[in-house]
Amino acid sequence: MASTALFPPQIEAHRKLIQDALLRYCDFDSGCPEHLAEAIRYCLLAPGKRIRPLLTLAASEVCDGDLSAAIPAACAVEMIHNYSLIHDDLPAMDDDELRRGRPTCHIQFDEAIAILAGDALIPMAFEAIARDVQPAEVALECSRLLAIASGPSKLVGGQADDLGCEFGAHDRVMLEKIHSRKTGALLTVSLEMGAVTARADEDQRHSLVEYGKHLGLAFQIVDDLLDFRGSQTKMGKRTGKDADRGKLTYPSVLGEAESETFLHEITEKAIASIQSFGDAAKPLELLARFVVSRTQ
Amino acid sequence: MASTALFPPQIEAHRKLIQDALLRYCDFDSGCPEHLAEAIRYCLLAPGKRIRPLLTLAASEVCDGDLSAAIPAACAVEMIHNYSLIHDDLPAMDDDELRRGRPTCHIQFDEAIAILAGDALIPMAFEAIARDVQPAEVALECSRLLAIASGPSKLVGGQADDLGCEFGAHDRVMLEKIHSRKTGALLTVSLEMGAVTARADEDQRHSLVEYGKHLGLAFQIVDDLLDFRGSQTKMGKRTGKDADRGKLTYPSVLGEAESETFLHEITEKAIASIQSFGDAAKPLELLARFVVSRTQ
């Protein structure tokens, strides 16, 4: 399960903490059928960048928080992220067979187990918070924030609109509305939970949320650009697919060059949002630049 | 959305409180696509017996609890129950087209929306608890209990085994192992959350959990018997199906007559578990007898 270094040592150390904690959360009791446990581990422990939990730990650290309170929240957001990938890949949804260079969960196992593995990861996230984040008020606030971010008005609503169940107008407003929920909400809550576990003040929390909103948009533009350019190697999944389906993407709405320009603008905005933290904001700046570097 | 009276006035009054609260929880903001909101309401607000939330309120009342703390927890368990029905009915799972006499969610809408409606109901449950149960320690304990009950070792694990993904031996031990997780865990947590919101003592909580374990088993035997006898009218869904599929059921393992005997034994055990509450246990006794009466 070891993964190659992507970041400077300080961030890699956080990545290791996250990987170790996720491994512990996959230590199921005998009530969990082995087949289901295997599917959950296959997805949750797959080599990944761990951007969301890294943001939680970086946000906690920039607010002088104690990482031991932030780690369960970081794992919780990674569990929600992984469930959403498993379900988005299902035949009835995006119908993807490849994810991070490996067969998707329903291909590796079967569709029923993929649905159930996703279903299991959601309560696992809330259990991690309820059991391991302290004190109770902080845990409850994390639970509330994560529930909203992964609920019908955010993560799930964004995916429903992205599937084209509802919208008519293919424009920039709808595009941002989809991705502020589908991608942005989870990135923002990663940061906000880091702030909450660190008992950050309102100003700090606000700066991190602003950073998260911009970063979420940047993240989606990068994904769309990679898909548009068909760089299967970098994506580890089938590309050019969104365009084939007539899906709403940044290159399809703004064009490639303007998407690039917008990406750089929005990344600078993200970094500007955290300048009040001074030098301590370096890891967050680095994570933002890493997100953008994936297109290059 | 009004439903006909099934119970004496006191329990019907609770049922009304639950229905009204569920209606409020379906008041989505503009981030939730209308199509998704409609699917969630179609399932969650469908006329139902509301056994699980009624158990939460009855458990709270028998421990002299304040119903206002129990209602959000009651709604949360009903949300989890409804998500599990939606996902269990999917083509990749039990492939059912009829539920409570109406088309199942993926038939009425489509498969993608059914997956998403189920996905949305899980965080909705945890949001209801985090936002509306007070104080924080009580809310957090409810959240922890509900997360475990709906997680990979309980609800989801039971469903995975029920789908036959894993087990080989078709025997009574496996049958009880499946249903103590698939049906029992959610019934038990309904009662336990009622006790927790009422700040019940350990003895009270233990009695209610024992009652819940027996009731969960009784519940499943009734369902299996109804399916076995093919009483489509009472079930509002296609019957005889579990047997056709060679699924593990009580009548298939114990025979019809012995299942009946076991059902009555287990119901009496459920009722005996709550005798320490004296006359106050009447509503819980009535709910247990109601569960059994469905076979007659």
Side-chain angles (χ1 to χ4, degrees):
Chain A
M1 295 302 159
S3 21
T4 37
L6 290 171
F7 304 105
Q10 185 197 0
I11 298 182
E12 280 301 326
H14 284 184
R15 209 155 149 246
K16 174 86 169 58
L17 287 174
I18 294 158
Q19 192 70 15
D20 292 348
L22 289 173
L23 203 63
R24 286 194 300 275
Y25 284 120
C26 285
D27 186 16
F28 302 104
D29 72 25
S30 65
C32 179
E34 193 41 45
H35 203 56
L36 176 65
E38 220 181 285
I40 296 172
R41 289 190 193 107
Y42 176 80
C43 300
L44 189 63
L45 303 178
K49 299 179 289 294
R50 310 289 186 208
I51 292 288
R52 290 159 195 77
L54 284 175
L55 289 172
T56 306
L57 300 197
S60 162
E61 213 160 49
V62 83
C63 302
D64 290 320
D66 172 1
L67 284 193
S68 65
I71 287 170
C75 290
V77 83
E78 187 67 8
M79 290 170 190
I80 295 289
H81 172 57
N82 270 271
Y83 120 73
S84 80
L85 298 181
I86 298 171
H87 282 193
D88 285 3
D89 286 338
L90 287 169
M93 308 274 261
D94 292 346
D95 193 15
D96 275 310
E97 299 189 352
L98 212 55
R99 159 82 59 193
R100 294 170 177 166
R102 308 190 314 161
T104 48
C105 191
H106 65 278
I107 298 293
Q108 181 73 15
F109 299 89
D110 64 30
E111 212 179 316
I113 279 294
I115 295 171
L116 291 171
D119 288 348
L121 281 162
I122 312 178
M124 279 173 67
F126 290 98
E127 189 192 347
I129 291 176
R131 208 182 60 186
D132 298 331
V133 174
Q134 272 156 357
E137 303 78 45
V138 168
L140 203 63
E141 177 64 356
C142 286
S143 189
R144 190 184 69 84
L145 292 170
L146 188 63
I148 294 172
S150 51
S153 299
K154 299 286 181 182
L155 180 66
V156 179
Q159 172 67 2
D161 270 345
D162 194 31
L163 282 172
C165 299
E166 239 227 345
F167 61 90
H170 280 212
D171 61 13
R172 187 164 173 172
V173 174
M174 178 48 97
L175 188 60
E176 290 189 9
K177 194 177 166 211
I178 290 175
H179 294 301
S180 68
R181 290 172 294 157
K182 192 180 162 175
T183 316
L186 221 50
L187 285 169
T188 306
V189 83
S190 306
L191 292 151
E192 209 170 358
M193 291 200 300
V196 168
T197 57
R199 307 287 199 128
D201 65 32
E202 272 310 304
D203 284 351
Q204 291 174 313
R205 191 164 158 173
H206 177 75
S207 299
L208 287 164
V209 167
E210 284 303 299
Y211 163 86
K213 283 182 186 166
H214 297 311
L215 191 68
L217 220 47
F219 210 88
Q220 192 57 46
I221 304 169
V222 168
D223 248 22
D224 284 356
L225 279 169
L226 286 174
D227 183 86
F228 182 78
R229 291 174 189 160
S231 159
Q232 176 141 7
T233 328
K234 281 198 180 171
M235 295 286 276
K237 62 184 181 187
R238 189 145 70 91
T239 53
K241 219 179 149 184
D242 294 345
D244 294 350
R245 282 181 189 145
K247 256 200 175 183
L248 210 51
T249 70
Y250 281 92
S252 74
V253 171
L254 301 184
E256 190 178 359
E258 206 184 317
S259 298
E260 274 279 4
T261 311
F262 184 48
L263 171 62
H264 287 281
E265 267 173 42
I266 209 83
T267 309
E268 292 313 315
K269 275 193 191 168
I271 293 166
S273 308
I274 45 165
Q275 284 320 301
S276 55
F277 292 109
D279 278 354
K282 274 285 165 219
L284 288 167
E285 184 176 334
L286 202 144
L287 285 167
R289 299 220 182 274
F290 171 79
V291 164
V292 189
S293 73
R294 292 166 61 223
T295 58
Q296 285 150 7
Chain B
M1 296 302 162
S3 21
T4 36
L6 290 170
F7 304 106
Q10 185 197 358
I11 297 181
E12 280 301 325
H14 284 182
R15 209 155 149 247
K16 175 86 170 61
L17 288 173
I18 294 157
Q19 191 70 16
D20 291 349
L22 288 174
L23 203 63
R24 286 195 300 276
Y25 284 120
C26 285
D27 185 16
F28 301 104
D29 71 24
S30 64
C32 179
E34 193 40 45
H35 203 55
L36 176 65
E38 221 180 285
I40 296 172
R41 289 191 192 107
Y42 176 80
C43 300
L44 189 62
L45 304 178
K49 299 180 287 296
R50 310 291 184 205
I51 293 288
R52 291 159 193 79
L54 283 175
L55 289 171
T56 307
L57 300 197
S60 162
E61 212 160 49
V62 83
C63 302
D64 290 320
D66 172 0
L67 285 192
S68 66
I71 288 171
C75 290
V77 82
E78 186 68 9
M79 290 170 191
I80 295 291
H81 172 57
N82 270 271
Y83 120 73
S84 79
L85 298 181
I86 299 172
H87 282 192
D88 285 4
D89 286 337
L90 286 169
M93 308 273 262
D94 293 345
D95 194 15
D96 275 309
E97 299 189 353
L98 212 54
R99 160 81 59 193
R100 294 172 179 165
R102 308 189 315 160
T104 48
C105 191
H106 65 277
I107 298 292
Q108 181 71 15
F109 299 90
D110 63 31
E111 212 179 316
I113 280 293
I115 296 170
L116 292 171
D119 289 348
L121 280 162
I122 312 177
M124 279 173 67
F126 290 99
E127 190 193 347
I129 291 175
R131 209 182 59 187
D132 297 330
V133 174
Q134 273 155 357
E137 303 79 45
V138 168
L140 203 64
E141 177 64 357
C142 286
S143 189
R144 189 184 70 83
L145 292 169
L146 188 63
I148 294 171
S150 51
S153 298
K154 299 287 179 181
L155 180 66
V156 179
Q159 172 66 2
D161 270 346
D162 195 31
L163 282 172
C165 298
E166 240 226 345
F167 60 92
H170 279 213
D171 60 13
R172 189 166 171 169
V173 174
M174 178 47 97
L175 188 60
E176 288 189 12
K177 193 178 168 211
I178 290 175
H179 294 302
S180 68
R181 290 172 294 157
K182 192 180 164 178
T183 316
L186 221 49
L187 285 170
T188 306
V189 83
S190 305
L191 292 151
E192 209 171 358
M193 291 201 300
V196 169
T197 58
R199 308 287 199 128
D201 65 32
E202 272 310 304
D203 284 350
Q204 292 174 313
R205 191 164 158 173
H206 177 76
S207 300
L208 288 165
V209 167
E210 283 304 299
Y211 164 87
K213 283 182 186 165
H214 298 309
L215 190 68
L217 221 47
F219 210 88
Q220 192 58 46
I221 304 168
V222 168
D223 248 23
D224 285 358
L225 279 169
L226 286 174
D227 183 86
F228 182 78
R229 292 174 188 160
S231 160
Q232 177 142 7
T233 327
K234 280 198 182 173
M235 295 286 277
K237 61 184 181 188
R238 190 144 70 91
T239 53
K241 218 178 149 184
D242 294 345
D244 295 350
R245 281 180 188 144
K247 256 199 173 183
L248 209 51
T249 70
Y250 282 92
S252 74
V253 171
L254 301 185
E256 191 179 357
E258 206 184 317
S259 299
E260 275 278 2
T261 311
F262 184 47
L263 171 61
H264 287 280
E265 265 172 43
I266 209 83
T267 309
E268 293 313 314
K269 274 194 191 168
I271 293 166
S273 309
I274 45 166
Q275 284 319 302
S276 55
F277 292 109
D279 277 354
K282 274 286 165 218
L284 287 166
E285 185 176 334
L286 202 144
L287 285 166
R289 300 221 182 272
F290 172 79
V291 164
V292 189
S293 73
R294 293 167 59 224
T295 56
Q296 287 151 4

